[in-house]
Amino acid sequence: MGKSAKAFKRPTKKQKETRKETRREETKMQQSIAESTPKSRAPSAAFSKTSGGGVTKAKSSRLKTRLAAARGTAGAGSVGGKKAKTDYLKLFDKKTSLGLAIPDAAPTDTYTSTQPGAGFIEDPHSWVFSGSMLSTPRSRIAATSVGQLAFFAGGMLDNGTYTDIVDIYNKQTNTWSVAHLSSGRSSIGAGSVAGRYAIFAGGLDGSFKPMSTIDVFDTETGKWSTIDLLTPRGSPQILDLGSTTAVIGGLSGDLQYLSNAVDYVDSELDITNATLQLRYPQFGVAISDKTGGVGLFTAGYQNNDPGNRFNDFEASNQTTVFSTSSTSSASFVSDQKFPYPRWGAGGAAANGVFAVGGGHVFGDASTGSQTTTVDRVDIYSAATGQWSNSPLELSVPRDYPLVQAVGDYIVFVSGTDQSKDFDILDTRSGAFIDNLNHKPALYTLRSDAASTTIDNCMFIVAGGLVYQGRNATASVEMFNACK
């Protein structure tokens, strides 16, 4: 006899409430879009993968533990600035899954939205908000921009699988299109090379194994290709230094846990490698000021006992300064110390001013003190080569904030459930602007979202988790400072 059919289970009250909240959020976003967007074709089934796979599955029962390790967050048992020793070796013990070949031609499916049009609106209170939607709700998306294009690649779906979807927004034509990475993955490093290529480097597959693939989109030809990192890793950090791009560190998948590898990608897509000269391997924040050819790799956390089966993670004060010369070569020095070591900070740079803000410090279990989210912003000056002794403050504490440069401003948003407002640092005055009218501000509170800036004047926030992390969203919020 065959297997009997499973009995129908009515949804619980909590499940019903969650579904209602999701529908309400999507309805509100659609209404916002309708106010600023002419009627157009909604994303259709064409945006879903219809053949060949390309989406890698992960078992959701192990998801939270592994993602916490990938982000470096700590649970119970944290002491001081350290995380209790944990055996993470099994996080990377599965075989790599196979992926699809990416298409050779530019994507054809498009949908439209309206955006105003170059110059810069100096008053942030006058930046123009509009809404749109990704083709598929998801979190942990890798985002970058090249020229007039913004890319939102990969990530994790609500069902715990990793996707190969790439949503591409064209600012010039006000259209969206959909392409696909060579395989579904998350924890991807996204960046640009020589103002021409968008790259999506490394990441973790469905078995949480680090990958070496770099998917490359050529904005001049509209074609995709792949190259490979010399060292596979998940969550590598990207520094666009103008003439070359550095792919730094990440999750190594071995007993070192954190990688010290650096792969340089030049304008010909040739790759050379180096090793960070650090006392401890570090998972830090990468911040680029490509117009000045300077970048920082700083903060985050380090492994004080590499090679041991049990990690010894601690907030890091290590800072590496990258720079390029007119010959396109890159160099780095590691003699600066981050003033206030912490986990979960974010950063961006404008006018040679590097701002690293937010994050958290762990409490001391022996005294019962709690983990604390911070509002501190540390400033590094490319002109002096020094960290400032006078840190600034955000309006609210933020953990893993989204941070982008928009014109002469550095914008901090998200990373808190206390406020939807932006914290906007004017790098010319060295002070945050007043935001008493709560504008600009996010429409929807979210975490694990992606952000990027097009043309240095359009700030975009996309995807992420809503309702205290219960659901992924497809909503996109655009803040246009372009004239």
Side-chain angles (χ1 to χ4, degrees):
M1 294 179 65
K3 293 182 180 179
S4 59
K6 293 183 179 179
F8 173 75
K9 293 184 179 180
R10 295 182 180 277
T12 65
K13 182 178 180 181
K14 183 176 180 181
Q15 288 173 330
K16 290 180 179 179
E17 291 175 350
T18 298
R19 292 172 184 174
K20 287 180 180 178
E21 288 176 336
T22 302
R23 286 195 294 267
R24 280 197 294 267
E25 194 267 349
E26 298 296 343
T27 299
K28 288 180 181 180
M29 182 55 69
Q30 291 287 3
Q31 290 172 346
S32 172
I33 297 170
E35 294 174 358
S36 61
T37 308
K39 291 183 178 180
S40 60
R41 179 171 65 86
S44 66
F47 291 120
S48 300
K49 198 69 178 175
T50 57
S51 64
V55 177
T56 308
K57 293 187 177 180
K59 293 185 178 180
S60 59
S61 61
R62 299 192 296 265
L63 199 56
K64 289 185 178 179
T65 301
R66 288 177 167 177
L67 290 178
R71 282 185 60 175
T73 55
S78 299
V79 180
K82 294 188 177 183
K83 182 180 178 182
K85 293 186 177 182
T86 309
D87 184 359
Y88 288 124
L89 184 62
K90 293 182 180 179
L91 296 181
F92 307 102
D93 61 356
K94 303 294 183 181
K95 294 181 180 180
T96 305
S97 61
L98 297 177
L100 293 177
I102 43 186
D104 211 18
T108 57
D109 292 308
T110 63
Y111 54 103
T112 61
S113 64
T114 299
Q115 287 293 338
F120 191 80
I121 300 174
E122 284 290 341
D123 180 7
H125 304 99
S126 298
W127 293 354
V128 180
F129 169 84
S130 63
S132 190
M133 303 290 285
L134 298 173
S135 61
T136 303
R138 59 197 193 275
S139 60
R140 299 190 179 278
I141 304 167
T144 191
S145 65
V146 182
Q148 300 291 305
L149 302 178
F151 301 81
F152 302 92
M156 186 173 67
L157 305 177
D158 256 338
N159 63 4
T161 61
Y162 289 167
T163 180
D164 61 0
I165 290 173
V166 185
D167 288 289
I168 306 172
Y169 174 69
N170 187 320
K171 174 177 171 286
Q172 186 173 21
T173 62
N174 301 327
T175 60
W176 287 86
S177 58
V178 175
H180 297 274
L181 298 174
S182 57
S183 62
R185 59 193 195 271
S186 187
S187 302
I188 304 167
S192 59
V193 177
R196 174 176 176 176
Y197 303 101
I199 63 170
F200 307 94
L204 300 177
D205 67 7
S207 63
F208 286 81
K209 183 174 182 178
M211 301 183 68
S212 61
T213 304
I214 303 178
D215 289 288
V216 181
F217 181 75
D218 187 339
T219 60
E220 292 188 5
T221 65
K223 292 186 177 182
W224 290 86
S225 61
T226 60
I227 54 179
D228 288 298
L229 292 170
L230 300 179
T231 304
R233 47 225 144 101
S235 299
Q237 303 297 295
I238 309 293
L239 283 179
D240 184 343
L241 301 171
S243 58
T244 190
T245 294
V247 183
I248 307 169
L251 305 175
S252 62
D254 56 24
L255 287 178
Q256 183 166 302
Y257 295 101
L258 309 179
S259 175
N260 271 342
V262 180
D263 287 335
Y264 291 108
V265 185
D266 66 19
S267 59
E268 301 299 321
L269 299 182
D270 292 328
I271 298 180
T272 56
N273 69 320
T275 302
L276 289 175
Q277 302 303 309
L278 297 172
R279 182 176 182 183
Y280 304 110
Q282 178 184 7
F283 187 90
V285 180
I287 308 171
S288 301
D289 185 0
K290 59 185 177 183
T291 57
V294 177
L296 289 188
F297 182 65
T298 188
Y301 60 97
Q302 64 194 37
N303 185 5
N304 293 337
D305 195 8
N308 194 317
R309 184 179 180 86
F310 298 93
N311 69 64
D312 186 13
F313 288 159
E314 182 180 31
S316 182
N317 68 354
Q318 298 176 138
T319 298
T320 301
V321 182
F322 289 75
S323 61
T324 57
S325 67
S326 58
T327 60
S328 300
S329 61
S331 60
F332 57 81
V333 293
S334 303
D335 59 353
Q336 288 289 316
K337 300 300 181 185
F338 185 57
Y340 188 66
R342 55 196 188 270
W343 309 56
N351 292 328
V353 175
F354 292 75
V356 181
H360 64 273
V361 293
F362 291 126
D364 189 337
S366 64
T367 62
S369 60
Q370 301 297 310
T371 297
T372 304
T373 302
V374 302
D375 58 8
R376 175 170 171 144
V377 179
D378 290 287
I379 303 297
Y380 177 87
S381 169
T384 65
Q386 300 290 328
W387 289 100
S388 171
N389 293 323
S390 301
L392 304 175
E393 290 184 0
L394 300 167
S395 62
V396 293
R398 300 180 186 272
D399 199 16
Y400 295 100
L402 300 175
V403 191
Q404 292 287 330
V406 183
D408 294 316
Y409 301 106
I410 295 176
V411 174
F412 294 82
V413 71
S414 192
T416 178
D417 58 5
Q418 299 180 30
S419 174
K420 298 179 181 180
D421 293 353
F422 286 21
D423 282 317
I424 302 178
L425 173 64
D426 188 336
T427 58
R428 296 162 296 188
S429 66
F432 283 97
I433 67 168
D434 291 330
N435 196 4
L436 300 178
N437 295 325
H438 307 289
K439 186 177 181 182
L442 284 178
Y443 187 91
T444 303
L445 282 175
R446 62 185 82 200
S447 61
D448 285 333
S451 68
T452 191
T453 304
I454 301 179
D455 211 18
N456 203 33
C457 62
M458 181 183 286
F459 175 52
I460 304 177
V461 176
L465 299 174
V466 295
Y467 306 121
Q468 289 76 50
R470 293 197 297 269
N471 299 96
T473 181
S475 68
V476 178
E477 302 186 42
M478 301 182 178
F479 300 86
N480 196 347
C482 312
K483 284 186 178 179

